[in-house]
Amino acid sequence: MPKLSNYCYGTDDPTSEMTCIPTSQVLVSPGYTALEYISKGHLTTKSNAYTFGVVLLELLFGTIIDIRLGSQYSHDAAYKVVKLALKCLDLDPKSRPRMSDVVVALEQFQGHEPM
């Protein structure tokens, strides 16, 4: 089960791709932590996207994409959400989407009917 308590903290500064904030008091689990935090100790708005991507993949492969469900979910929507999650996990933080873009993308997938 995903642990949302490990969600990273970043600020949304529209003038900067990489808004760094001090993180001396942030406790994280390595599996949920963006690589820029592990290597440099900085969290950014793109760190949030990385952490959300991990949680999103856990949700997809732990519950939604389950062989016991057969085809009771939209395969097209699941494929699009997997692609979005993988974008969130890009090793280059500048290539990751902002969380606001992730929300917009997820809203577009809402309402897909099962196959």
Side-chain angles (χ1 to χ4, degrees):
M1 187 58 102
K3 296 180 182 181
L4 293 178
S5 62
N6 284 2
Y7 202 73
C8 295
Y9 296 97
T11 60
D12 214 1
D13 179 357
T15 64
S16 173
E17 282 290 310
M18 299 292 290
T19 303
C20 297
I21 49 179
T23 59
S24 59
Q25 297 176 355
V26 177
L27 301 174
V28 295
S29 296
Y32 293 83
T33 307
L35 299 177
E36 63 271 14
Y37 176 72
I38 292 171
S39 64
K40 298 177 184 168
H42 294 275
L43 290 177
T44 71
T45 57
K46 302 300 181 100
S47 302
N48 290 341
Y50 183 92
T51 300
F52 186 76
V54 173
V55 172
L56 194 54
L57 284 180
E58 286 185 348
L59 286 171
L60 283 166
F61 291 106
T63 58
I64 296 170
I65 302 176
D66 186 327
I67 195 165
R68 294 173 291 184
L69 291 175
S71 60
Q72 296 179 25
Y73 62 92
S74 168
H75 293 219
D76 181 53
Y79 175 76
K80 289 176 181 177
V81 174
V82 168
K83 283 180 57 176
L84 177 63
L86 293 176
K87 285 182 183 179
C88 291
L89 296 175
D90 197 300
L91 295 178
D92 178 8
K94 293 179 182 179
S95 297
R96 293 181 206 141
R98 291 186 177 272
M99 281 305 299
S100 57
D101 297 328
V102 172
V103 170
V104 169
L106 288 173
E107 286 174 344
Q108 291 175 353
F109 306 147
Q110 188 176 11
H112 281 257
E113 295 298 320
M115 295 181 82

